[in-house]
């Protein structure tokens, strides 16, 4: 358990990340490759990423460099996820290169004590080796993250909208209270379901905290190990009960909903339960983007869906009426009174 202690100044300085953090998405996606937990939520990604890495000749680098440096464990080095990455991938990679040699060696030594570090890891103190690592990280991002940027941005925008609603209704404490189930807010302390090997108190001391929703983070939030670094909390997106795993009896649109709307529009309503772009709807329904746009438009005209444009992307989410219709259909399909 991690307990994050807030004062009044911390509440005033707590903020929500405006965009995905590319290096944390790299880190958490590498964690997804090390476990079957939550595999259903990333099934399409997992199926394609292995082949793509093979095609790029990256399997060796993945196995010998990336996975050992980003273990799904109680610790991996903080310098691999610098705050600079809030300004984009290249800024984050520059931050890795700019990390002082002494700090790199200290964190590598800590990795070795906690879970074991690869024998070559101390050489990361050398700038040339870090440049090699940065090249691998850039290539991995292009293979594993960049093709999903539209999906990631859309899901995180939907999460930001949900958290901002909590902020408007109850201030920062209302926003923090909405972070369940992975975090529990009790006045002045945020209780975080953390790695089971960790029992720790983090005192913000007036610095506030940056909340960073992550597409690839699963179940347990993550923070930096060094309490002297700017506080950040990376947490998973909420997985709604209305969007169960594929293959689950409720993983397909309810029969009654399909009969009412037709398959494509039933899939559209089901897909936007957690927020979805037109492209996501098209992939889920197996239709062209133009058809997906028409289906979303029909549901919007019926008051079931709302659509918001973010640059070139249109994000679709359920209205309260749409959520009620979907919930009723799924409840009926499960045979629940």
């Amino acid at each position: 358990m991690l307990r994050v202690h807030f004062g009044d100044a911390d509440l005033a300085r707590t903020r929500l990340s405006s965009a995905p953090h590319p290096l944390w998405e790299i880190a958490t996606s590498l964690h997804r490759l090390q476990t079957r937990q939550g595999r259903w939520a990333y099934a399409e990604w997992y199926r394609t990423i292995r082949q793509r890495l093979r095609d790029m000749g990256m399997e060796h680098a993945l196995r010998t460099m990336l996975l050992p440096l980003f273990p799904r464990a109680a610790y991996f080095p903080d310098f691999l996820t610098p705050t600079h990455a809030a300004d984009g991938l290249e800024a984050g990679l520059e931050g890795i290169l700019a990390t002082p040699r002494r700090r790199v060696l200290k964190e590598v030594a800590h990795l070795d004590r906690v879970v074991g570090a690869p024998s070559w890891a101390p050489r990361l103190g050398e700038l040339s080796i870090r440049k090699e690592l940065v090249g691998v990280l850039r290539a991995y991002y292009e293979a594993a993250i960049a093709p999903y940027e539209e999906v990631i941005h859309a899901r995180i925008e939907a999460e930001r909208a949900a958290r901002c609603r909590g902020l408007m209704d109850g201030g920062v404490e209302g926003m923090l209270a909405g972070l369940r189930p992975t975090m529990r807010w009790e006045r002045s302390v945020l209780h975080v379901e953390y790695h089971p090997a960790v029992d720790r108190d983090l005192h913000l001391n007036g610095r506030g905290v940056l909340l960073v929703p992550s597409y690839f983070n699963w179940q347990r939030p993550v923070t930096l190990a060094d309490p002297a670094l700017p506080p950040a909390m990376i947490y998973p997106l909420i997985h709604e009960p209305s969007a169960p795993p594929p293959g689950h009896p409720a993983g397909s649109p309810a029969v009654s909903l399909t009969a009412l709307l037709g398959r494509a529009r039933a899939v559209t309503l089901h897909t936007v339960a957690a927020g979805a772009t037109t492209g996501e709807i098209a992939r889920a329904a197996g239709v062209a983007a133009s058809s997906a746009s028409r289906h979303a438009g029909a549901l919007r005209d019926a008051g079931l869906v709302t659509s918001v444009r973010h640059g070139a992307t249109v994000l679709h989410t359920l209205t309260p009426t749409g959520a009620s219709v979907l919930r009723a259909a799924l409840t009926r399909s499960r045979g629940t009174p």
Side-chain angles (χ1 to χ4, degrees):
M1 178 68 71
L2 172 68
R3 293 166 294 276
V4 186
H5 296 262
F6 287 73
D8 290 342
D10 298 307
L11 290 172
R13 290 174 179 155
T14 291
R15 60 251 188 245
L16 187 64
S17 177
S18 61
H21 188 296
L23 286 175
W24 273 111
E25 294 300 344
I26 287 175
T28 52
S29 71
L30 287 167
H31 293 164
R32 300 282 61 75
L33 293 175
Q34 298 174 60
T35 177
R36 296 190 62 85
Q37 288 186 3
R39 180 69 58 82
W40 63 264
Y42 310 95
E44 190 274 336
W45 174 82
Y46 190 85
R47 281 194 300 270
T48 60
I49 183 61
R50 289 291 192 178
Q51 185 59 51
R52 191 175 292 133
L53 291 174
R54 277 195 293 270
D55 293 344
M56 295 176 64
M58 285 194 64
E59 282 190 302
H60 180 74
L62 175 71
R63 186 175 62 256
T64 62
M65 180 176 286
L66 296 183
L67 295 181
L69 286 180
F70 292 88
R72 184 176 169 272
Y75 177 81
F76 65 88
D78 289 333
F79 80 88
L80 296 172
T81 53
T83 55
H84 307 70
D87 295 324
L89 176 66
E90 292 305 320
L93 296 178
E94 287 297 323
I96 291 176
L97 295 176
T99 307
R101 180 177 184 274
R102 183 175 180 179
R103 178 185 161 190
V104 172
L105 294 178
K106 177 182 176 182
E107 293 185 4
V108 166
H110 188 58
L111 174 67
D112 194 41
R113 288 193 299 273
V114 175
V115 295
S119 59
W120 56 267
R123 294 190 61 202
L124 285 168
E126 304 170 21
L127 184 58
S128 61
I129 303 302
R130 257 177 293 151
K131 285 182 177 179
E132 182 180 342
L133 171 62
V134 160
V136 173
L137 288 171
R138 185 182 290 109
Y140 177 82
Y141 184 90
E142 290 302 315
I145 311 296
Y148 299 87
E149 282 181 338
E150 180 183 341
V151 175
I152 293 170
H153 278 270
R155 289 296 310 279
I156 287 179
E157 280 298 329
E159 168 64 12
R160 279 172 52 80
R163 292 311 120 234
C164 287
R165 179 174 294 182
L167 179 67
M168 289 187 290
D169 291 344
V172 175
E173 291 190 71
M175 180 174 69
L176 294 172
L179 293 173
R180 287 180 175 271
T182 57
M183 292 178 269
R184 185 180 78 257
W185 172 250
E186 294 181 357
R187 194 63 183 270
S188 82
V189 180
L190 186 65
H191 299 262
V192 181
E193 294 295 332
Y194 211 65
H195 193 282
V198 174
D199 187 73
R200 174 186 168 198
D201 288 273
L202 173 61
H203 294 271
L204 298 177
N205 297 324
R207 295 172 296 170
V209 63
L210 177 64
L211 299 170
V212 184
S214 168
Y215 180 78
F216 285 105
N217 182 247
W218 180 257
Q219 291 189 324
R220 293 194 187 109
V222 187
T223 191
L224 297 169
D226 187 346
L229 293 171
M233 180 66 64
I234 290 74
Y235 69 93
L237 298 175
I238 294 173
H239 293 264
E240 298 288 351
S242 58
H248 187 279
S252 301
V255 172
S256 59
L257 200 61
T258 302
L260 176 66
L261 300 175
R263 179 190 172 279
R265 288 181 186 172
V267 171
T268 298
L269 194 69
H270 197 268
T271 302
V272 303
T277 64
T278 304
E280 283 185 278
I281 293 170
R283 286 190 288 274
V287 299
S290 57
S291 296
S293 182
R294 285 197 300 273
H295 293 314
L299 294 174
R300 183 170 59 249
D301 292 342
L304 303 180
V305 166
T306 185
S307 304
V308 179
R309 179 172 291 279
H310 299 276
T313 300
V314 178
L315 175 68
H316 309 279
T317 56
L318 294 179
T319 64
T321 301
S324 296
V325 169
L326 181 61
R327 189 181 307 113
L330 292 174
T331 299
R332 185 177 180 85
S333 74
R334 293 174 185 136
T336 304

